[in-house]
Tab-separated table of all heavy atoms in Angstrom:
chain	number	residue	atom	x	y	z
A	981	MET	N	-18.547	-10.020	11.363
A	981	MET	CA	-18.913	-9.146	10.264
A	981	MET	C	-18.136	-9.586	9.013
A	981	MET	O	-16.972	-9.915	9.083
A	981	MET	CB	-18.572	-7.707	10.626
A	981	MET	CG	-19.109	-6.677	9.692
A	981	MET	SD	-20.893	-6.465	9.644
A	981	MET	CE	-21.287	-5.979	11.295
A	982	LEU	N	-18.826	-9.594	7.886
A	982	LEU	CA	-18.215	-9.870	6.591
A	982	LEU	C	-18.049	-8.558	5.841
A	982	LEU	O	-18.735	-7.584	6.113
A	982	LEU	CB	-19.121	-10.771	5.745
A	982	LEU	CG	-19.497	-12.132	6.299
A	982	LEU	CD1	-20.575	-12.763	5.423
A	982	LEU	CD2	-18.288	-13.034	6.392
A	983	THR	N	-17.154	-8.564	4.873
A	983	THR	CA	-17.067	-7.465	3.924
A	983	THR	C	-17.512	-8.017	2.582
A	983	THR	O	-16.915	-8.961	2.060
A	983	THR	CB	-15.636	-6.909	3.826
A	983	THR	OG1	-15.211	-6.495	5.118
A	983	THR	CG2	-15.570	-5.731	2.863
A	984	VAL	N	-18.600	-7.462	2.040
A	984	VAL	CA	-19.145	-7.915	0.766
A	984	VAL	C	-19.127	-6.733	-0.187
A	984	VAL	O	-19.805	-5.728	0.047
A	984	VAL	CB	-20.586	-8.454	0.932
A	984	VAL	CG1	-21.129	-8.934	-0.398
A	984	VAL	CG2	-20.631	-9.559	1.983
A	985	ASN	N	-18.308	-6.841	-1.224
A	985	ASN	CA	-18.155	-5.748	-2.195
A	985	ASN	C	-17.874	-4.428	-1.484
A	985	ASN	O	-18.517	-3.413	-1.742
A	985	ASN	CB	-19.376	-5.644	-3.105
A	985	ASN	CG	-19.502	-6.843	-4.013
A	985	ASN	OD1	-18.565	-7.618	-4.189
A	985	ASN	ND2	-20.668	-7.023	-4.596
A	986	ASN	N	-16.934	-4.474	-0.562
A	986	ASN	CA	-16.460	-3.306	0.193
A	986	ASN	C	-17.498	-2.704	1.133
A	986	ASN	O	-17.370	-1.553	1.543
A	986	ASN	CB	-15.908	-2.234	-0.748
A	986	ASN	CG	-14.715	-2.726	-1.518
A	986	ASN	OD1	-13.823	-3.363	-0.941
A	986	ASN	ND2	-14.668	-2.460	-2.809
A	987	THR	N	-18.543	-3.462	1.480
A	987	THR	CA	-19.567	-3.015	2.411
A	987	THR	C	-19.709	-4.060	3.507
A	987	THR	O	-19.704	-5.260	3.225
A	987	THR	CB	-20.922	-2.844	1.689
A	987	THR	OG1	-20.756	-1.925	0.606
A	987	THR	CG2	-21.988	-2.321	2.621
A	988	GLU	N	-19.876	-3.614	4.759
A	988	GLU	CA	-20.036	-4.558	5.856
A	988	GLU	C	-21.389	-5.255	5.774
A	988	GLU	O	-22.399	-4.650	5.401
A	988	GLU	CB	-19.901	-3.842	7.198
A	988	GLU	CG	-18.487	-3.413	7.482
A	988	GLU	CD	-18.322	-2.879	8.896
A	988	GLU	OE1	-19.324	-2.552	9.559
A	988	GLU	OE2	-17.169	-2.785	9.335
A	989	HIS	N	-21.382	-6.544	6.114
A	989	HIS	CA	-22.595	-7.357	6.120
A	989	HIS	C	-22.531	-8.268	7.338
A	989	HIS	O	-21.479	-8.852	7.614
A	989	HIS	CB	-22.689	-8.188	4.836
A	989	HIS	CG	-23.949	-8.987	4.722
A	989	HIS	ND1	-25.108	-8.456	4.240
A	989	HIS	CD2	-24.229	-10.265	5.062
A	989	HIS	CE1	-26.052	-9.390	4.260
A	989	HIS	NE2	-25.533	-10.492	4.763
A	990	PRO	N	-23.631	-8.412	8.067
A	990	PRO	CA	-23.603	-9.255	9.264
A	990	PRO	C	-23.257	-10.704	8.949
A	990	PRO	O	-23.706	-11.258	7.941
A	990	PRO	CB	-25.030	-9.162	9.817
A	990	PRO	CG	-25.658	-8.011	9.132
A	990	PRO	CD	-24.930	-7.789	7.849
A	991	PHE	N	-22.474	-11.303	9.818
A	991	PHE	CA	-22.101	-12.717	9.710
A	991	PHE	C	-22.995	-13.526	10.632
A	991	PHE	O	-23.316	-13.100	11.738
A	991	PHE	CB	-20.638	-12.899	10.127
A	991	PHE	CG	-20.250	-14.336	10.319
A	991	PHE	CD1	-20.011	-15.142	9.230
A	991	PHE	CD2	-20.142	-14.871	11.584
A	991	PHE	CE1	-19.665	-16.478	9.403
A	991	PHE	CE2	-19.786	-16.194	11.782
A	991	PHE	CZ	-19.550	-16.999	10.683
A	992	SER	N	-23.403	-14.708	10.161
A	992	SER	CA	-24.122	-15.636	11.029
A	992	SER	C	-23.504	-17.023	10.868
A	992	SER	O	-23.051	-17.396	9.783
A	992	SER	CB	-25.621	-15.659	10.722
A	992	SER	OG	-25.859	-16.043	9.383
A	993	GLU	N	-23.485	-17.759	11.965
A	993	GLU	CA	-22.885	-19.088	11.991
A	993	GLU	C	-23.545	-19.992	10.953
A	993	GLU	O	-24.764	-19.983	10.787
A	993	GLU	CB	-23.059	-19.682	13.393
A	993	GLU	CG	-22.060	-20.730	13.756
A	993	GLU	CD	-20.611	-20.264	13.750
A	993	GLU	OE1	-20.317	-19.155	14.242
A	993	GLU	OE2	-19.776	-21.021	13.236
A	994	GLY	N	-22.749	-20.751	10.209
A	994	GLY	CA	-23.262	-21.669	9.199
A	994	GLY	C	-23.530	-21.034	7.851
A	994	GLY	O	-23.979	-21.706	6.926
A	995	MET	N	-23.246	-19.753	7.713
A	995	MET	CA	-23.486	-19.038	6.456
A	995	MET	C	-22.582	-19.579	5.354
A	995	MET	O	-21.404	-19.829	5.565
A	995	MET	CB	-23.233	-17.548	6.672
A	995	MET	CG	-23.495	-16.679	5.477
A	995	MET	SD	-23.168	-14.933	5.858
A	995	MET	CE	-24.747	-14.470	6.519
A	996	THR	N	-23.164	-19.782	4.176
A	996	THR	CA	-22.408	-20.210	2.998
A	996	THR	C	-22.434	-19.096	1.960
A	996	THR	O	-23.192	-18.129	2.090
A	996	THR	CB	-23.036	-21.472	2.369
A	996	THR	OG1	-24.343	-21.150	1.893
A	996	THR	CG2	-23.088	-22.632	3.353
A	997	ILE	N	-21.651	-19.270	0.922
A	997	ILE	CA	-21.685	-18.293	-0.173
A	997	ILE	C	-23.091	-18.248	-0.768
A	997	ILE	O	-23.626	-17.173	-1.024
A	997	ILE	CB	-20.629	-18.616	-1.243
A	997	ILE	CG1	-19.239	-18.338	-0.674
A	997	ILE	CG2	-20.878	-17.819	-2.518
A	997	ILE	CD1	-18.097	-18.673	-1.590
A	998	LYS	N	-23.715	-19.398	-0.945
A	998	LYS	CA	-25.066	-19.445	-1.512
A	998	LYS	C	-26.064	-18.690	-0.634
A	998	LYS	O	-26.863	-17.891	-1.134
A	998	LYS	CB	-25.498	-20.904	-1.680
A	998	LYS	CG	-26.943	-21.093	-2.093
A	998	LYS	CD	-27.183	-20.705	-3.528
A	998	LYS	CE	-28.555	-21.144	-3.982
A	998	LYS	NZ	-29.463	-20.078	-4.266
A	999	SER	N	-26.028	-18.922	0.674
A	999	SER	CA	-26.988	-18.229	1.547
A	999	SER	C	-26.721	-16.724	1.576
A	999	SER	O	-27.664	-15.934	1.630
A	999	SER	CB	-26.975	-18.826	2.958
A	999	SER	OG	-25.745	-18.632	3.606
A	1000	LEU	N	-25.463	-16.332	1.507
A	1000	LEU	CA	-25.135	-14.907	1.441
A	1000	LEU	C	-25.680	-14.290	0.153
A	1000	LEU	O	-26.283	-13.219	0.176
A	1000	LEU	CB	-23.621	-14.699	1.528
A	1000	LEU	CG	-23.139	-13.272	1.302
A	1000	LEU	CD1	-23.629	-12.341	2.407
A	1000	LEU	CD2	-21.621	-13.229	1.196
A	1001	MET	N	-25.476	-14.973	-0.962
A	1001	MET	CA	-25.976	-14.462	-2.238
A	1001	MET	C	-27.500	-14.341	-2.221
A	1001	MET	O	-28.057	-13.377	-2.746
A	1001	MET	CB	-25.500	-15.352	-3.384
A	1001	MET	CG	-24.005	-15.225	-3.627
A	1001	MET	SD	-23.360	-16.373	-4.857
A	1001	MET	CE	-24.339	-15.987	-6.259
A	1002	ASP	N	-28.166	-15.302	-1.590
A	1002	ASP	CA	-29.626	-15.232	-1.473
A	1002	ASP	C	-30.032	-14.020	-0.629
A	1002	ASP	O	-30.955	-13.286	-0.999
A	1002	ASP	CB	-30.182	-16.509	-0.846
A	1002	ASP	CG	-30.094	-17.711	-1.776
A	1002	ASP	OD1	-29.848	-17.522	-2.994
A	1002	ASP	OD2	-30.245	-18.844	-1.280
A	1003	GLU	N	-29.349	-13.808	0.499
A	1003	GLU	CA	-29.643	-12.653	1.354
A	1003	GLU	C	-29.460	-11.336	0.610
A	1003	GLU	O	-30.241	-10.403	0.767
A	1003	GLU	CB	-28.727	-12.643	2.585
A	1003	GLU	CG	-29.125	-13.565	3.680
A	1003	GLU	CD	-28.213	-13.440	4.885
A	1003	GLU	OE1	-27.705	-12.335	5.173
A	1003	GLU	OE2	-28.012	-14.468	5.554
A	1004	LYS	N	-28.390	-11.258	-0.175
A	1004	LYS	CA	-28.076	-10.020	-0.895
A	1004	LYS	C	-28.901	-9.862	-2.174
A	1004	LYS	O	-28.885	-8.804	-2.789
A	1004	LYS	CB	-26.583	-9.977	-1.248
A	1004	LYS	CG	-25.644	-9.966	-0.055
A	1004	LYS	CD	-25.739	-8.681	0.740
A	1004	LYS	CE	-25.010	-7.572	0.051
A	1004	LYS	NZ	-25.101	-6.308	0.794
A	1005	GLY	N	-29.591	-10.916	-2.596
A	1005	GLY	CA	-30.397	-10.834	-3.813
A	1005	GLY	C	-29.576	-10.945	-5.085
A	1005	GLY	O	-29.993	-10.473	-6.133
A	1006	PHE	N	-28.409	-11.579	-4.989
A	1006	PHE	CA	-27.551	-11.768	-6.166
A	1006	PHE	C	-28.042	-12.990	-6.932
A	1006	PHE	O	-27.765	-14.122	-6.559
A	1006	PHE	CB	-26.097	-11.978	-5.767
A	1006	PHE	CG	-25.439	-10.795	-5.106
A	1006	PHE	CD1	-24.313	-10.971	-4.329
A	1006	PHE	CD2	-25.920	-9.509	-5.266
A	1006	PHE	CE1	-23.679	-9.897	-3.721
A	1006	PHE	CE2	-25.304	-8.427	-4.662
A	1006	PHE	CZ	-24.177	-8.627	-3.888
A	1007	VAL	N	-28.781	-12.761	-8.005
A	1007	VAL	CA	-29.371	-13.853	-8.781
A	1007	VAL	C	-28.909	-13.823	-10.243
A	1007	VAL	O	-29.558	-14.388	-11.105
A	1007	VAL	CB	-30.914	-13.815	-8.716
A	1007	VAL	CG1	-31.400	-14.098	-7.308
A	1007	VAL	CG2	-31.445	-12.477	-9.201
A	1008	PHE	N	-27.813	-13.178	-10.488
A	1008	PHE	CA	-27.310	-13.055	-11.855
A	1008	PHE	C	-26.911	-14.428	-12.394
A	1008	PHE	O	-26.426	-15.280	-11.660
A	1008	PHE	CB	-26.088	-12.129	-11.893
A	1008	PHE	CG	-26.314	-10.819	-11.206
A	1008	PHE	CD1	-25.580	-10.477	-10.076
A	1008	PHE	CD2	-27.257	-9.925	-11.669
A	1008	PHE	CE1	-25.776	-9.278	-9.439
A	1008	PHE	CE2	-27.467	-8.712	-11.030
A	1008	PHE	CZ	-26.720	-8.389	-9.912
A	1009	HIS	N	-27.102	-14.624	-13.684
A	1009	HIS	CA	-26.741	-15.897	-14.308
A	1009	HIS	C	-25.237	-16.080	-14.386
A	1009	HIS	O	-24.734	-17.186	-14.258
A	1009	HIS	CB	-27.355	-16.000	-15.709
A	1009	HIS	CG	-28.836	-16.127	-15.673
A	1009	HIS	ND1	-29.477	-17.298	-15.372
A	1009	HIS	CD2	-29.817	-15.205	-15.848
A	1009	HIS	CE1	-30.782	-17.105	-15.386
A	1009	HIS	NE2	-31.015	-15.853	-15.673
A	1010	ARG	N	-24.542	-15.003	-14.591
A	1010	ARG	CA	-23.074	-15.072	-14.678
A	1010	ARG	C	-22.494	-14.196	-13.590
A	1010	ARG	O	-22.594	-12.973	-13.646
A	1010	ARG	CB	-22.600	-14.606	-16.052
A	1010	ARG	CG	-23.044	-15.531	-17.142
A	1010	ARG	CD	-22.448	-15.130	-18.458
A	1010	ARG	NE	-22.922	-16.059	-19.471
A	1010	ARG	CZ	-23.040	-15.778	-20.729
A	1010	ARG	NH1	-22.725	-14.576	-21.154
A	1010	ARG	NH2	-23.461	-16.671	-21.582
A	1011	ILE	N	-21.894	-14.850	-12.624
A	1011	ILE	CA	-21.310	-14.126	-11.507
A	1011	ILE	C	-20.025	-14.817	-11.093
A	1011	ILE	O	-19.911	-16.045	-11.166
A	1011	ILE	CB	-22.311	-14.043	-10.329
A	1011	ILE	CG1	-21.850	-13.033	-9.293
A	1011	ILE	CG2	-22.594	-15.394	-9.729
A	1011	ILE	CD1	-22.911	-12.636	-8.299
A	1012	ILE	N	-19.047	-14.027	-10.748
A	1012	ILE	CA	-17.780	-14.554	-10.235
A	1012	ILE	C	-17.715	-14.156	-8.766
A	1012	ILE	O	-17.946	-12.994	-8.423
A	1012	ILE	CB	-16.574	-13.969	-10.996
A	1012	ILE	CG1	-16.590	-14.431	-12.448
A	1012	ILE	CG2	-15.266	-14.378	-10.313
A	1012	ILE	CD1	-15.553	-13.767	-13.315
A	1013	VAL	N	-17.417	-15.132	-7.923
A	1013	VAL	CA	-17.303	-14.864	-6.496
A	1013	VAL	C	-15.872	-15.150	-6.057
A	1013	VAL	O	-15.327	-16.208	-6.356
A	1013	VAL	CB	-18.293	-15.720	-5.677
A	1013	VAL	CG1	-18.074	-15.516	-4.182
A	1013	VAL	CG2	-19.720	-15.381	-6.055
A	1014	LYS	N	-15.304	-14.171	-5.365
A	1014	LYS	CA	-13.984	-14.338	-4.765
A	1014	LYS	C	-14.152	-14.327	-3.255
A	1014	LYS	O	-14.854	-13.483	-2.703
A	1014	LYS	CB	-13.053	-13.197	-5.155
A	1014	LYS	CG	-12.536	-13.245	-6.554
A	1014	LYS	CD	-11.591	-12.073	-6.773
A	1014	LYS	CE	-10.715	-12.259	-7.959
A	1014	LYS	NZ	-9.768	-11.121	-8.066
A	1015	LEU	N	-13.509	-15.269	-2.602
A	1015	LEU	CA	-13.508	-15.339	-1.151
A	1015	LEU	C	-12.074	-15.128	-0.696
A	1015	LEU	O	-11.197	-15.930	-1.022
A	1015	LEU	CB	-14.039	-16.695	-0.674
A	1015	LEU	CG	-13.978	-16.968	0.818
A	1015	LEU	CD1	-14.753	-15.907	1.605
A	1015	LEU	CD2	-14.495	-18.362	1.118
A	1016	ASN	N	-11.845	-14.028	-0.014
A	1016	ASN	CA	-10.499	-13.659	0.441
A	1016	ASN	C	-9.487	-13.697	-0.699
A	1016	ASN	O	-8.370	-14.169	-0.564
A	1016	ASN	CB	-10.068	-14.567	1.593
A	1016	ASN	CG	-10.997	-14.445	2.780
A	1016	ASN	OD1	-11.447	-13.352	3.109
A	1016	ASN	ND2	-11.322	-15.558	3.396
A	1017	GLY	N	-9.932	-13.202	-1.863
A	1017	GLY	CA	-9.043	-13.064	-3.013
A	1017	GLY	C	-8.952	-14.279	-3.924
A	1017	GLY	O	-8.306	-14.219	-4.962
A	1018	LYS	N	-9.605	-15.392	-3.563
A	1018	LYS	CA	-9.550	-16.605	-4.385
A	1018	LYS	C	-10.926	-16.878	-4.994
A	1018	LYS	O	-11.942	-16.828	-4.298
A	1018	LYS	CB	-9.128	-17.808	-3.550
A	1018	LYS	CG	-7.704	-17.707	-3.059
A	1018	LYS	CD	-7.299	-18.968	-2.348
A	1018	LYS	CE	-5.847	-18.857	-1.912
A	1018	LYS	NZ	-5.366	-20.086	-1.308
A	1019	ILE	N	-10.937	-17.204	-6.275
A	1019	ILE	CA	-12.189	-17.500	-6.971
A	1019	ILE	C	-12.772	-18.807	-6.450
A	1019	ILE	O	-12.065	-19.797	-6.278
A	1019	ILE	CB	-11.967	-17.576	-8.495
A	1019	ILE	CG1	-11.592	-16.192	-9.043
A	1019	ILE	CG2	-13.210	-18.116	-9.204
A	1019	ILE	CD1	-11.256	-16.165	-10.517
A	1020	VAL	N	-14.088	-18.784	-6.211
A	1020	VAL	CA	-14.817	-19.977	-5.782
A	1020	VAL	C	-15.692	-20.417	-6.951
A	1020	VAL	O	-16.436	-19.609	-7.512
A	1020	VAL	CB	-15.692	-19.680	-4.542
A	1020	VAL	CG1	-16.469	-20.915	-4.134
A	1020	VAL	CG2	-14.842	-19.161	-3.397
A	1021	GLU	N	-15.595	-21.680	-7.321
A	1021	GLU	CA	-16.413	-22.219	-8.412
A	1021	GLU	C	-17.877	-22.272	-7.980
A	1021	GLU	O	-18.176	-22.548	-6.813
A	1021	GLU	CB	-15.938	-23.627	-8.789
A	1021	GLU	CG	-14.518	-23.675	-9.317
A	1021	GLU	CD	-14.346	-22.944	-10.638
A	1021	GLU	OE1	-15.304	-22.928	-11.452
A	1021	GLU	OE2	-13.259	-22.397	-10.851
A	1022	ASP	N	-18.781	-22.033	-8.923
A	1022	ASP	CA	-20.209	-21.990	-8.583
A	1022	ASP	C	-20.722	-23.303	-7.999
A	1022	ASP	O	-21.644	-23.300	-7.180
A	1022	ASP	CB	-21.052	-21.534	-9.765
A	1022	ASP	CG	-20.895	-22.390	-11.000
A	1022	ASP	OD1	-19.977	-23.234	-11.049
A	1022	ASP	OD2	-21.698	-22.223	-11.932
A	1023	ILE	N	-20.142	-24.422	-8.367
A	1023	ILE	CA	-20.583	-25.699	-7.802
A	1023	ILE	C	-20.242	-25.808	-6.310
A	1023	ILE	O	-20.793	-26.654	-5.612
A	1023	ILE	CB	-19.993	-26.913	-8.559
A	1023	ILE	CG1	-18.472	-26.911	-8.510
A	1023	ILE	CG2	-20.485	-26.953	-9.984
A	1023	ILE	CD1	-17.832	-28.187	-9.026
A	1024	ASP	N	-19.369	-24.927	-5.820
A	1024	ASP	CA	-18.964	-24.946	-4.414
A	1024	ASP	C	-19.695	-23.908	-3.558
A	1024	ASP	O	-19.436	-23.826	-2.356
A	1024	ASP	CB	-17.450	-24.714	-4.305
A	1024	ASP	CG	-16.649	-25.842	-4.926
A	1024	ASP	OD1	-17.081	-27.004	-4.814
A	1024	ASP	OD2	-15.591	-25.566	-5.514
A	1025	TYR	N	-20.608	-23.139	-4.116
A	1025	TYR	CA	-21.277	-22.075	-3.362
A	1025	TYR	C	-22.045	-22.608	-2.150
A	1025	TYR	O	-22.054	-21.982	-1.100
A	1025	TYR	CB	-22.248	-21.291	-4.249
A	1025	TYR	CG	-21.602	-20.403	-5.295
A	1025	TYR	CD1	-22.386	-19.739	-6.215
A	1025	TYR	CD2	-20.222	-20.227	-5.374
A	1025	TYR	CE1	-21.821	-18.915	-7.191
A	1025	TYR	CE2	-19.658	-19.415	-6.343
A	1025	TYR	CZ	-20.462	-18.765	-7.250
A	1025	TYR	OH	-19.904	-17.954	-8.198
A	1026	THR	N	-22.712	-23.756	-2.299
A	1026	THR	CA	-23.522	-24.275	-1.193
A	1026	THR	C	-22.681	-24.934	-0.103
A	1026	THR	O	-23.113	-25.021	1.037
A	1026	THR	CB	-24.581	-25.285	-1.686
A	1026	THR	OG1	-23.925	-26.335	-2.382
A	1026	THR	CG2	-25.596	-24.608	-2.582
A	1027	ARG	N	-21.488	-25.386	-0.440
A	1027	ARG	CA	-20.670	-26.076	0.568
A	1027	ARG	C	-19.518	-25.239	1.113
A	1027	ARG	O	-18.798	-25.688	1.995
A	1027	ARG	CB	-20.182	-27.405	0.031
A	1027	ARG	CG	-19.312	-27.303	-1.182
A	1027	ARG	CD	-18.870	-28.668	-1.664
A	1027	ARG	NE	-18.509	-28.598	-3.064
A	1027	ARG	CZ	-18.696	-29.560	-3.917
A	1027	ARG	NH1	-19.200	-30.694	-3.529
A	1027	ARG	NH2	-18.352	-29.409	-5.167
A	1028	THR	N	-19.341	-24.028	0.586
A	1028	THR	CA	-18.274	-23.158	1.085
A	1028	THR	C	-18.808	-22.303	2.219
A	1028	THR	O	-19.590	-21.375	2.001
A	1028	THR	CB	-17.712	-22.272	-0.041
A	1028	THR	OG1	-17.224	-23.111	-1.094
A	1028	THR	CG2	-16.590	-21.392	0.465
A	1029	LYS	N	-18.398	-22.643	3.446
A	1029	LYS	CA	-18.852	-21.903	4.626
A	1029	LYS	C	-17.986	-20.672	4.834
A	1029	LYS	O	-16.776	-20.699	4.633
A	1029	LYS	CB	-18.823	-22.789	5.854
A	1029	LYS	CG	-19.849	-23.887	5.759
A	1029	LYS	CD	-20.070	-24.557	7.063
A	1029	LYS	CE	-21.172	-25.589	6.889
A	1029	LYS	NZ	-21.571	-26.173	8.138
A	1030	LEU	N	-18.647	-19.610	5.236
A	1030	LEU	CA	-17.964	-18.353	5.501
A	1030	LEU	C	-17.574	-18.263	6.964
A	1030	LEU	O	-18.206	-18.887	7.825
A	1030	LEU	CB	-18.865	-17.184	5.111
A	1030	LEU	CG	-19.257	-17.148	3.629
A	1030	LEU	CD1	-20.293	-16.066	3.382
A	1030	LEU	CD2	-18.047	-16.949	2.750
A	1031	GLN	N	-16.540	-17.476	7.223
A	1031	GLN	CA	-16.064	-17.239	8.580
A	1031	GLN	C	-16.165	-15.747	8.878
A	1031	GLN	O	-16.034	-14.917	7.970
A	1031	GLN	CB	-14.602	-17.700	8.721
A	1031	GLN	CG	-14.379	-19.164	8.426
A	1031	GLN	CD	-15.080	-20.062	9.412
A	1031	GLN	OE1	-15.071	-19.807	10.616
A	1031	GLN	NE2	-15.714	-21.112	8.914
A	1032	ASP	N	-16.352	-15.436	10.141
A	1032	ASP	CA	-16.388	-14.040	10.555
A	1032	ASP	C	-15.101	-13.358	10.100
A	1032	ASP	O	-14.011	-13.895	10.282
A	1032	ASP	CB	-16.527	-13.962	12.078
A	1032	ASP	CG	-16.871	-12.573	12.556
A	1032	ASP	OD1	-17.367	-11.763	11.755
A	1032	ASP	OD2	-16.654	-12.310	13.748
A	1033	GLY	N	-15.217	-12.214	9.445
A	1033	GLY	CA	-14.063	-11.465	8.972
A	1033	GLY	C	-13.710	-11.709	7.510
A	1033	GLY	O	-12.823	-11.050	6.961
A	1034	ASP	N	-14.390	-12.672	6.863
A	1034	ASP	CA	-14.103	-12.960	5.456
A	1034	ASP	C	-14.436	-11.766	4.566
A	1034	ASP	O	-15.321	-10.964	4.870
A	1034	ASP	CB	-14.911	-14.167	4.966
A	1034	ASP	CG	-14.285	-15.501	5.338
A	1034	ASP	OD1	-13.097	-15.528	5.730
A	1034	ASP	OD2	-14.995	-16.521	5.222
A	1035	LYS	N	-13.720	-11.710	3.446
A	1035	LYS	CA	-13.962	-10.689	2.430
A	1035	LYS	C	-14.493	-11.388	1.182
A	1035	LYS	O	-13.835	-12.279	0.635
A	1035	LYS	CB	-12.675	-9.934	2.104
A	1035	LYS	CG	-12.864	-8.849	1.073
A	1035	LYS	CD	-11.583	-8.099	0.787
A	1035	LYS	CE	-11.821	-7.043	-0.273
A	1035	LYS	NZ	-10.605	-6.333	-0.621
A	1036	VAL	N	-15.692	-11.002	0.765
A	1036	VAL	CA	-16.345	-11.606	-0.391
A	1036	VAL	C	-16.520	-10.539	-1.460
A	1036	VAL	O	-16.971	-9.434	-1.183
A	1036	VAL	CB	-17.719	-12.193	-0.003
A	1036	VAL	CG1	-18.401	-12.817	-1.220
A	1036	VAL	CG2	-17.584	-13.202	1.122
A	1037	GLU	N	-16.148	-10.900	-2.677
A	1037	GLU	CA	-16.386	-10.022	-3.827
A	1037	GLU	C	-17.263	-10.787	-4.801
A	1037	GLU	O	-16.940	-11.910	-5.181
A	1037	GLU	CB	-15.074	-9.646	-4.502
A	1037	GLU	CG	-14.152	-8.822	-3.624
A	1037	GLU	CD	-12.815	-8.612	-4.296
A	1037	GLU	OE1	-12.734	-7.726	-5.159
A	1037	GLU	OE2	-11.881	-9.359	-3.965
A	1038	ALA	N	-18.384	-10.205	-5.181
A	1038	ALA	CA	-19.292	-10.806	-6.160
A	1038	ALA	C	-19.334	-9.884	-7.364
A	1038	ALA	O	-19.739	-8.716	-7.260
A	1038	ALA	CB	-20.677	-10.988	-5.559
A	1039	ILE	N	-18.903	-10.408	-8.489
A	1039	ILE	CA	-18.779	-9.600	-9.704
A	1039	ILE	C	-19.730	-10.142	-10.765
A	1039	ILE	O	-19.621	-11.296	-11.170
A	1039	ILE	CB	-17.326	-9.636	-10.236
A	1039	ILE	CG1	-16.379	-9.171	-9.127
A	1039	ILE	CG2	-17.175	-8.801	-11.492
A	1039	ILE	CD1	-15.028	-9.803	-9.179
A	1040	HIS	N	-20.678	-9.305	-11.171
A	1040	HIS	CA	-21.629	-9.667	-12.200
A	1040	HIS	C	-20.955	-9.514	-13.550
A	1040	HIS	O	-20.498	-8.424	-13.898
A	1040	HIS	CB	-22.869	-8.768	-12.089
A	1040	HIS	CG	-23.889	-9.023	-13.116
A	1040	HIS	ND1	-24.767	-8.063	-13.539
A	1040	HIS	CD2	-24.222	-10.126	-13.816
A	1040	HIS	CE1	-25.565	-8.561	-14.463
A	1040	HIS	NE2	-25.251	-9.812	-14.632
A	1041	VAL	N	-20.905	-10.600	-14.304
A	1041	VAL	CA	-20.264	-10.600	-15.617
A	1041	VAL	C	-21.357	-10.529	-16.679
A	1041	VAL	O	-22.331	-11.285	-16.642
A	1041	VAL	CB	-19.433	-11.887	-15.817
A	1041	VAL	CG1	-18.771	-11.892	-17.180
A	1041	VAL	CG2	-18.398	-12.019	-14.730
A	1042	PHE	N	-21.217	-9.582	-17.574
A	1042	PHE	CA	-22.183	-9.481	-18.663
A	1042	PHE	C	-21.461	-9.046	-19.920
A	1042	PHE	O	-20.373	-8.475	-19.868
A	1042	PHE	CB	-23.322	-8.507	-18.315
A	1042	PHE	CG	-22.867	-7.107	-18.014
A	1042	PHE	CD1	-22.834	-6.140	-19.002
A	1042	PHE	CD2	-22.452	-6.763	-16.724
A	1042	PHE	CE1	-22.405	-4.857	-18.714
A	1042	PHE	CE2	-22.033	-5.473	-16.435
A	1042	PHE	CZ	-22.002	-4.516	-17.435
A	1043	ALA	N	-22.068	-9.362	-21.065
A	1043	ALA	CA	-21.466	-9.036	-22.348
A	1043	ALA	C	-22.253	-7.904	-22.998
A	1043	ALA	O	-23.463	-7.775	-22.793
A	1043	ALA	CB	-21.460	-10.252	-23.256
A	1044	GLY	N	-21.572	-7.122	-23.748
A	1044	GLY	CA	-22.224	-6.032	-24.461
A	1044	GLY	C	-21.917	-6.135	-25.945
A	1044	GLY	O	-21.138	-6.964	-26.374
A	1045	GLY	N	-22.564	-5.305	-26.690
A	1045	GLY	CA	-22.353	-5.400	-28.126
A	1045	GLY	C	-22.083	-4.073	-28.741
A	1045	GLY	O	-21.948	-3.053	-28.205
């Protein structure tokens, strides 16, 4: 089981940050992802594999006026 934004989410073998974001429908243009408290660069989303028990935080960044 993963924790995604403080909510449990099923873990599956071979899951990456990119596949998790696709499952969750996170398609924001500006998003910051933290894996176990460390920021993951967007170029690493497809190659960063998740492990059972990981904590993922996805933060949508937007500007206002």
